[in-house]
Coordinates of all heavy atoms in Angstrom, one line a residue:
L269 N 167.5 225.0 145.8 CA 168.6 224.2 145.4 C 168.9 224.3 143.9 O 168.0 224.2 143.1 CB 168.4 222.7 145.8 CG 168.1 222.4 147.3 CD1 167.8 221.0 147.4 CD2 169.3 222.8 148.1
S270 N 170.1 224.5 143.6 CA 170.5 224.5 142.2 C 170.5 223.0 141.7 O 170.5 222.1 142.5 CB 171.9 225.1 142.0 OG 172.9 224.2 142.6
A271 N 170.6 222.8 140.4 CA 170.7 221.4 139.9 C 171.8 220.7 140.4 O 171.7 219.5 140.8 CB 170.7 221.5 138.3
S272 N 173.0 221.3 140.5 CA 174.2 220.6 141.1 C 174.0 220.3 142.5 O 174.4 219.2 143.0 CB 175.5 221.4 140.8 OG 175.4 222.6 141.6
Q273 N 173.4 221.2 143.3 CA 173.2 220.9 144.7 C 172.2 219.7 144.9 O 172.3 218.8 145.7 CB 172.6 222.1 145.4 CG 173.7 223.2 145.6 CD 173.1 224.5 146.0 OE1 171.9 224.6 146.3 NE2 173.9 225.5 146.1
L274 N 171.1 219.7 144.0 CA 170.1 218.7 144.1 C 170.7 217.3 143.7 O 170.5 216.3 144.4 CB 168.9 219.0 143.2 CG 167.7 218.2 143.3 CD1 167.2 218.2 144.8 CD2 166.6 218.6 142.4
E275 N 171.6 217.3 142.7 CA 172.3 216.1 142.3 C 173.2 215.6 143.5 O 173.2 214.4 143.8 CB 173.2 216.3 141.1 CG 172.4 216.4 139.8 CD 173.3 216.8 138.6 OE1 174.6 216.9 138.8 OE2 172.8 217.0 137.5
S276 N 173.9 216.4 144.1 CA 174.8 216.1 145.2 C 174.0 215.6 146.4 O 174.4 214.5 147.0 CB 175.7 217.2 145.6 OG 176.5 217.7 144.6
L277 N 172.9 216.2 146.7 CA 172.0 215.8 147.8 C 171.4 214.5 147.5 O 171.3 213.6 148.4 CB 170.9 216.9 148.0 CG 170.0 216.6 149.2 CD1 170.7 216.5 150.5 CD2 168.9 217.7 149.2
T278 N 171.1 214.2 146.3 CA 170.5 212.9 145.9 C 171.5 211.8 146.1 O 171.2 210.8 146.7 CB 170.1 212.9 144.4 OG1 169.1 214.0 144.3 CG2 169.5 211.6 144.0
V279 N 172.7 212.0 145.7 CA 173.8 211.0 145.9 C 174.0 210.7 147.4 O 174.0 209.6 147.9 CB 175.1 211.4 145.3 CG1 176.2 210.5 145.7 CG2 175.0 211.5 143.8
I280 N 174.1 211.8 148.2 CA 174.3 211.6 149.7 C 173.1 210.9 150.3 O 173.2 210.0 151.1 CB 174.6 213.0 150.3 CG1 175.9 213.4 149.9 CG2 174.6 212.8 151.9 CD1 176.3 214.9 150.2
A281 N 171.8 211.3 149.9 CA 170.6 210.7 150.5 C 170.6 209.2 150.2 O 170.2 208.4 151.1 CB 169.4 211.4 150.0
Y282 N 170.9 208.8 149.0 CA 170.7 207.4 148.6 C 171.9 206.5 149.1 O 171.8 205.3 149.2 CB 170.5 207.2 147.1 CG 169.1 207.5 146.7 CD1 168.7 208.7 146.3 CD2 168.1 206.5 146.8 CE1 167.3 209.0 145.9 CE2 166.8 206.7 146.5 CZ 166.4 208.0 146.0 OH 165.1 208.2 145.7
Y283 N 173.1 207.1 149.2 CA 174.3 206.3 149.4 C 175.0 206.7 150.8 O 176.1 206.3 151.0 CB 175.3 206.5 148.3 CG 174.9 206.0 147.0 CD1 174.4 206.9 146.0 CD2 174.9 204.6 146.7 CE1 173.9 206.4 144.8 CE2 174.4 204.1 145.5 CZ 174.0 205.0 144.6 OH 173.5 204.6 143.4
Q284 N 174.3 207.3 151.7 CA 174.9 207.8 152.9 C 175.3 206.6 153.8 O 174.6 205.6 153.8 CB 174.0 208.8 153.6 CG 172.6 208.2 154.1 CD 171.8 209.3 154.6 OE1 172.2 210.0 155.6 NE2 170.6 209.6 154.0
P285 N 176.3 206.8 154.6 CA 177.2 208.0 154.6 C 178.1 208.0 153.3 O 178.6 206.9 152.9 CB 178.0 207.8 155.8 CG 178.1 206.4 156.1 CD 176.8 205.8 155.5
A286 N 178.3 209.2 152.8 CA 179.1 209.3 151.5 C 180.1 210.4 151.7 O 179.9 211.4 152.3 CB 178.2 209.6 150.3
T287 N 181.3 210.2 151.0 CA 182.3 211.2 151.0 C 182.1 212.1 149.8 O 181.4 211.8 148.8 CB 183.7 210.6 150.8 OG1 183.8 209.9 149.6 CG2 184.0 209.6 152.0
K288 N 182.7 213.3 149.8 CA 182.7 214.2 148.7 C 183.2 213.6 147.5 O 182.7 213.8 146.4 CB 183.4 215.5 149.1 CG 183.3 216.6 148.0 CD 183.9 217.9 148.4 CE 185.4 217.9 148.7 NZ 186.2 217.8 147.5
A289 N 184.3 212.8 147.6 CA 184.9 212.1 146.5 C 183.9 211.2 145.8 O 183.9 211.0 144.6 CB 186.2 211.4 146.9
Y290 N 183.1 210.5 146.6 CA 182.1 209.6 146.1 C 181.1 210.3 145.3 O 180.7 209.9 144.2 CB 181.5 208.8 147.3 CG 180.6 207.7 146.8 CD1 181.1 206.6 146.1 CD2 179.2 207.8 146.9 CE1 180.2 205.6 145.7 CE2 178.3 206.8 146.5 CZ 178.8 205.7 145.9 OH 178.0 204.7 145.4
V291 N 180.6 211.5 145.8 CA 179.7 212.3 145.1 C 180.3 212.7 143.8 O 179.6 212.7 142.8 CB 179.3 213.5 146.0 CG1 178.4 214.5 145.2 CG2 178.6 213.1 147.3
E292 N 181.5 213.1 143.8 CA 182.2 213.6 142.6 C 182.3 212.4 141.6 O 182.2 212.6 140.4 CB 183.5 214.2 142.9 CG 183.4 215.5 143.7 CD 184.7 216.1 144.2 OE1 185.7 215.3 144.2 OE2 184.7 217.2 144.6
T293 N 182.6 211.2 142.1 CA 182.7 210.1 141.2 C 181.4 209.8 140.5 O 181.4 209.6 139.3 CB 183.1 208.8 142.0 OG1 184.4 209.1 142.6 CG2 183.2 207.6 141.1
I294 N 180.3 209.9 141.2 CA 179.0 209.6 140.5 C 178.6 210.8 139.6 O 178.2 210.6 138.5 CB 177.9 209.4 141.6 CG1 178.2 208.0 142.3 CG2 176.5 209.4 141.0 CD1 177.2 207.6 143.3
R295 N 178.8 212.0 140.1 CA 178.4 213.2 139.3 C 179.4 213.4 138.1 O 179.0 214.0 137.1 CB 178.3 214.4 140.1 CG 177.2 214.4 141.1 CD 176.9 215.7 141.8 NE 176.6 216.7 140.8 CZ 177.2 217.9 140.7 NH1 178.1 218.3 141.5 NH2 176.8 218.8 139.7
G296 N 180.7 213.1 138.3 CA 181.7 213.3 137.3 C 182.2 214.7 137.2 O 182.9 215.1 136.3
V297 N 181.9 215.5 138.3 CA 182.4 216.9 138.3 C 182.8 217.2 139.8 O 182.3 216.6 140.7 CB 181.4 217.9 137.8 CG1 181.1 217.7 136.3 CG2 180.1 217.9 138.6
D298 N 183.5 218.3 140.0 CA 183.9 218.8 141.3 C 182.6 219.2 142.0 O 181.7 219.9 141.5 CB 184.8 220.0 141.2 CG 185.2 220.5 142.6 OD1 185.6 219.7 143.4 OD2 185.0 221.7 142.8
S299 N 182.4 218.7 143.3 CA 181.2 219.0 144.0 C 181.5 219.7 145.3 O 180.6 219.8 146.2 CB 180.5 217.7 144.3 OG 180.1 217.0 143.1
S300 N 182.6 220.4 145.4 CA 183.0 221.1 146.7 C 181.9 222.2 147.0 O 181.5 222.3 148.1 CB 184.3 221.7 146.6 OG 185.3 220.7 146.4
Y301 N 181.6 223.0 146.0 CA 180.7 224.1 146.2 C 179.3 223.5 146.7 O 178.7 224.0 147.6 CB 180.5 225.0 145.0 CG 179.4 226.0 145.2 CD1 179.7 227.2 145.9 CD2 178.2 225.9 144.7 CE1 178.7 228.1 146.1 CE2 177.2 226.8 144.9 CZ 177.5 228.0 145.6 OH 176.5 228.9 145.8
S302 N 178.8 222.5 146.0 CA 177.5 221.9 146.3 C 177.5 221.4 147.7 O 176.5 221.6 148.4 CB 177.1 220.9 145.3 OG 177.0 221.4 144.0
V303 N 178.5 220.6 148.1 CA 178.5 220.0 149.4 C 178.6 221.1 150.5 O 177.8 221.0 151.5 CB 179.7 219.0 149.5 CG1 179.9 218.6 151.0 CG2 179.5 217.8 148.6
N304 N 179.4 222.1 150.3 CA 179.4 223.2 151.2 C 178.1 224.0 151.3 O 177.6 224.4 152.4 CB 180.5 224.2 150.9 CG 181.9 223.6 151.2 OD1 182.0 222.8 152.1 ND2 182.9 224.1 150.5
A305 N 177.4 224.2 150.2 CA 176.1 224.8 150.2 C 175.1 224.0 150.9 O 174.3 224.5 151.7 CB 175.6 225.1 148.8
L306 N 175.1 222.7 150.8 CA 174.2 221.8 151.5 C 174.4 221.8 153.0 O 173.5 221.7 153.8 CB 174.3 220.4 150.9 CG 173.8 220.2 149.4 CD1 174.1 218.8 148.9 CD2 172.3 220.5 149.3
L307 N 175.7 221.9 153.3 CA 176.1 222.0 154.8 C 175.5 223.3 155.3 O 174.9 223.3 156.4 CB 177.6 222.0 155.0 CG 178.2 220.6 154.9 CD1 179.8 220.7 154.7 CD2 177.9 219.7 156.1
N308 N 175.7 224.4 154.6 CA 175.2 225.7 155.1 C 173.7 225.8 155.2 O 173.1 226.5 156.0 CB 175.7 226.8 154.2 CG 177.2 227.1 154.3 OD1 177.7 226.8 155.3 ND2 177.8 227.6 153.3
K309 N 173.0 225.0 154.3 CA 171.5 224.9 154.4 C 171.0 223.9 155.3 O 169.8 223.7 155.4 CB 171.0 224.7 153.0 CG 171.3 225.8 152.0 CD 170.8 225.5 150.6 CE 171.2 226.7 149.7 NZ 170.8 226.5 148.3
H310 N 171.9 223.2 156.0 CA 171.6 222.2 157.1 C 170.8 221.0 156.5 O 170.0 220.4 157.2 CB 170.9 222.9 158.3 CG 171.6 224.0 158.8 ND1 172.7 223.9 159.6 CD2 171.4 225.4 158.8 CE1 173.2 225.1 159.9 NE2 172.4 226.0 159.5
L311 N 171.0 220.7 155.3 CA 170.4 219.5 154.7 C 171.3 218.3 154.8 O 170.8 217.2 154.8 CB 170.0 219.8 153.2 CG 169.0 220.9 153.0 CD1 168.9 221.2 151.5 CD2 167.7 220.5 153.6
I312 N 172.6 218.5 155.0 CA 173.5 217.4 155.3 C 174.4 217.8 156.4 O 174.4 219.0 156.8 CB 174.4 217.0 154.0 CG1 175.3 218.2 153.6 CG2 173.5 216.5 152.9 CD1 176.3 217.8 152.6
E313 N 175.0 216.8 157.0 CA 176.0 217.1 158.1 C 177.1 216.1 158.1 O 177.0 215.0 157.5 CB 175.2 217.0 159.5 CG 174.7 215.6 159.8 CD 173.8 215.5 161.0 OE1 173.6 216.5 161.6 OE2 173.4 214.4 161.3
E314 N 178.2 216.5 158.7 CA 179.3 215.5 158.9 C 178.9 214.5 159.9 O 178.3 214.7 160.9 CB 180.6 216.3 159.4 CG 181.1 217.3 158.4 CD 182.4 218.0 158.9 OE1 183.0 217.5 159.9 OE2 182.8 219.0 158.2

């Protein structure tokens, strides 16, 4: 996991269920790539 993926995963783990917009609000940056990467690695799901 990259630092951005780990940050996004942390937000989702602690605040689930969470939207991508919520992850971006907490991180302060676009998180589309990180969320998609976490989906591909099967660490998160819809």
Side-chain angles (χ1 to χ4, degrees):
L269 301 174
S270 67
S272 64
Q273 291 169 3
L274 193 55
E275 287 174 3
S276 298
L277 182 59
T278 300
V279 172
I280 293 168
Y282 280 96
Y283 296 102
Q284 61 186 301
T287 63
K288 184 174 66 71
Y290 186 71
V291 173
E292 291 171 348
T293 300
I294 291 182
R295 292 191 60 229
V297 296
D298 179 54
S299 299
S300 298
Y301 175 79
S302 296
V303 169
N304 286 332
L306 294 170
L307 283 166
N308 290 335
K309 293 176 182 181
H310 305 289
L311 295 174
I312 63 170
E313 64 187 2
E314 294 181 12

